[in-house]
Amino acid sequence: MNCSLILALLSGVKYFMATEGNFPKNVTIVGGSLASINAARALRRAKYEGNITFISGEPYLPYDRPPLSKQVLTGEWPPDRVALVDESMLEKLNLDLRLDTKATGLDRKNQVVVLSDGTNVEYDALIVATGATPRKLPNTEHLSGVYTLRTLNDSLAIKQAFEESPKVVVVGAGFIGAEVAAASRKHGLETTVIEALPQPLSTSVGEEVGAACAKLHENNGVKIYCNSPVESLEGDKNIEGVRLVTGEIIPADIVVVGIGVIPETGWLEGTDLNIDNGLLCDETCLAAENIFAVGDVARWYNPLFGETMRVEHWTNAIEQARHVARSIASGETSPFAPLPYVWSDQYETSIQYVGYASTYDEVKIVHGDLDSLKFIALYRKNERLVAALSFDQQQILGDFRQLISNQASWEDALKIC
């Protein structure tokens, strides 16, 4: 974190320089995401009447991403159902819309965003909402049939590939990989999941809960390889298989890679902004004077947990965007201290996770049991309840959501079990 930002935090000096009668006339939002469009909406709801420039590298209007690995991929939804705005809403928002145009640089001195079409956009307040891009396996660019899933085009390409009845291999058993595997099975396809960890999500939720995730897929006909790092993808021009470090080759007609994402900050290189697994911000989501970050690209200090975090969840993108918009419209910054929440629908099971446990000291099953795949798991750090996970126990999960928000002790959490 740069020294001036530290001094500002320690002294309580506001880093957002809007004052009464001097509010930003031009707000520029970089990124065409859920966070971006919610920031624009929230600005207008807060009676902001200045210019809003909306820059998106995709040719589409903003759309919802969670259905891409679920309803769109299974064919339950047509692609246009994921749209987040329509023409009527756009007219009300009155945006200077720049689609299919990427930000390629930032001139902080002159408060200018440099665009891929050769033009520049000035800003008085900048919202960085460029999201993240999927990690790829090395040396695979030449192979046809290898996919990642982030955009609408990605989802449609995988769905079309599914129609050829291929052998599907998913590399990575996180939420995206797991949802792709579930969609593949819904298409009736032979599906294998390869995971380098001892169990799916084991570093995040613990090995016992991770084993329950694996069991859910095995019960639905998926073959799972854990503790199985990938050595290489096999094939000349088309993918033919996945070679594990053990030497075993898993036959594949298509491979979907879901091994995490990288924050999209390349366009900020060369600036004095602090880039460290995202755009580093203070507790108010300010990265520097008049520059905010929201969504997957933002890494900020969350006072509720006393940690700096980057959260890649749908609810966080919306809440953070609204928080920043209110700051810009009012000229008053305040801490952003949300309770992270994420869900994943796989087969007929709803998995929900609330809280934040980058590290934890104990995992305890307090309702149901792992064998039935209906349970609540609690996570302890020091003597505090910091997270809870539910397999099809949504109503009970709400009790623990409030306890985590209240920074309840582990002892108090166990009293209601």
Side-chain angles (χ1 to χ4, degrees):
M1 186 178 291
N2 63 59
C3 292
S4 57
L5 184 53
I6 292 173
L7 289 173
L9 291 174
L10 292 177
S11 63
V13 174
K14 290 177 183 173
Y15 235 66
F16 182 50
M17 302 305 292
T19 56
E20 188 174 354
N22 188 32
F23 287 100
K25 296 177 181 178
N26 297 293
V27 175
T28 294
I29 304 172
V30 181
S33 63
L34 175 75
S36 306
I37 197 62
N38 274 278
R41 285 172 173 164
L43 281 166
R44 294 305 189 206
R45 281 198 299 268
K47 308 303 181 185
Y48 174 76
E49 296 179 355
N51 183 64
I52 302 176
T53 303
F54 190 96
I55 301 164
S56 174
E58 290 197 66
Y60 306 110
L61 292 172
Y63 56 85
D64 214 8
R65 295 190 192 277
L68 301 183
S69 56
K70 306 179 186 75
Q71 294 92 340
V72 173
L73 198 53
T74 61
E76 297 171 78
W77 286 14
D80 59 5
R81 188 168 170 180
V82 300
L84 291 170
V85 290
D86 55 23
E87 294 299 327
S88 173
M89 184 181 296
L90 277 177
E91 186 175 346
K92 293 177 182 177
L93 291 175
N94 188 25
L95 305 177
D96 178 2
L97 199 59
R98 312 287 185 96
L99 297 181
D100 208 13
T101 306
K102 293 185 177 181
T104 58
L106 178 65
D107 179 351
R108 283 197 59 209
K109 181 180 179 181
N110 295 303
Q111 296 199 160
V112 165
V113 177
V114 182
L115 304 184
S116 59
D117 63 4
T119 63
N120 295 338
V121 173
E122 296 180 353
Y123 68 87
D124 299 312
L126 175 65
I127 301 176
V128 178
T130 40
T133 188
R135 296 181 184 274
K136 297 182 179 180
L137 293 173
N139 305 315
T140 60
E141 295 82 2
H142 65 290
L143 284 174
S144 175
V146 180
Y147 302 90
T148 55
L149 177 50
R150 180 73 178 180
T151 68
L152 178 59
N153 284 345
D154 294 337
S155 181
L156 295 176
I158 296 169
K159 179 178 176 291
Q160 184 176 2
F162 279 177
E163 292 170 2
E164 301 298 321
S165 298
K167 291 183 175 68
V168 178
V169 173
V170 178
V171 178
F175 281 160
I176 290 293
E179 289 169 4
V180 169
S184 175
R185 287 300 300 142
K186 195 154 190 174
H187 282 272
L189 303 177
E190 182 180 329
T191 307
T192 303
V193 173
I194 298 172
E195 174 55 63
L197 296 173
Q199 296 291 347
L201 298 168
S202 56
T203 56
S204 302
V205 301
E207 289 196 16
E208 283 190 315
V209 176
C213 296
K215 181 180 177 181
L216 173 63
H217 288 278
E218 290 169 340
N219 287 352
N220 284 276
V222 175
K223 187 170 185 179
I224 293 194
Y225 288 76
C226 291
N227 270 326
S228 300
V230 171
E231 179 159 307
S232 63
L233 299 189
E234 302 295 303
D236 183 12
K237 294 182 179 179
N238 300 315
I239 185 69
E240 296 175 5
V242 179
R243 181 185 293 273
L244 307 181
V245 291
T246 60
E248 183 178 357
I249 297 176
I250 312 300
D253 300 312
I254 73 169
V255 170
V256 182
V257 180
I259 54 174
V261 297
I262 303 169
E264 193 64 72
T265 55
W267 67 285
L268 297 172
E269 290 179 4
T271 69
D272 59 352
L273 296 174
N274 199 328
I275 308 298
D276 181 12
N277 184 29
L279 178 53
L280 192 62
C281 304
D282 69 7
E283 64 183 14
T284 74
C285 303
L286 266 170
E289 182 179 331
N290 295 338
I291 299 178
F292 296 84
V294 298
D296 293 4
V297 74
R299 188 160 170 259
W300 88 105
Y301 178 80
N302 185 338
L304 181 60
F305 293 89
E307 292 190 44
T308 299
M309 59 180 64
R310 189 174 65 81
V311 178
E312 301 169 8
H313 304 331
W314 188 87
T315 50
N316 183 75
I318 294 174
E319 293 170 357
Q320 198 165 36
R322 291 172 177 171
H323 180 89
V324 162
R326 287 192 294 268
S327 295
I328 292 172
S330 68
E332 296 287 337
T333 58
S334 60
F336 179 59
L339 181 65
Y341 165 76
V342 63
W343 82 95
S344 179
D345 297 325
Q346 300 171 29
Y347 311 105
E348 303 304 317
T349 298
S350 176
I351 303 171
Q352 298 186 23
Y353 179 93
V354 62
Y356 185 80
S358 58
T359 60
Y360 48 85
D361 300 314
E362 182 181 355
V363 184
K364 187 176 182 66
I365 307 302
V366 295
H367 282 280
D369 60 83
L370 294 167
D371 288 339
S372 69
L373 298 182
K374 293 183 184 295
F375 61 87
I376 294 278
L378 300 184
Y379 296 80
R380 175 179 66 83
K381 184 172 184 179
N382 298 321
E383 297 308 316
R384 179 180 164 188
L385 173 68
V386 291
L389 179 143
S390 160
F391 262 56
D392 277 344
Q393 300 284 299
Q394 297 91 315
Q395 291 181 330
I396 300 174
L397 185 67
D399 297 335
F400 298 104
R401 178 194 297 265
Q402 191 60 49
L403 287 172
I404 299 167
S405 290
N406 294 340
Q407 299 180 306
S409 71
W410 183 250
E411 182 180 353
D412 286 343
L414 294 183
K415 286 178 181 177
I416 73 168
C417 299

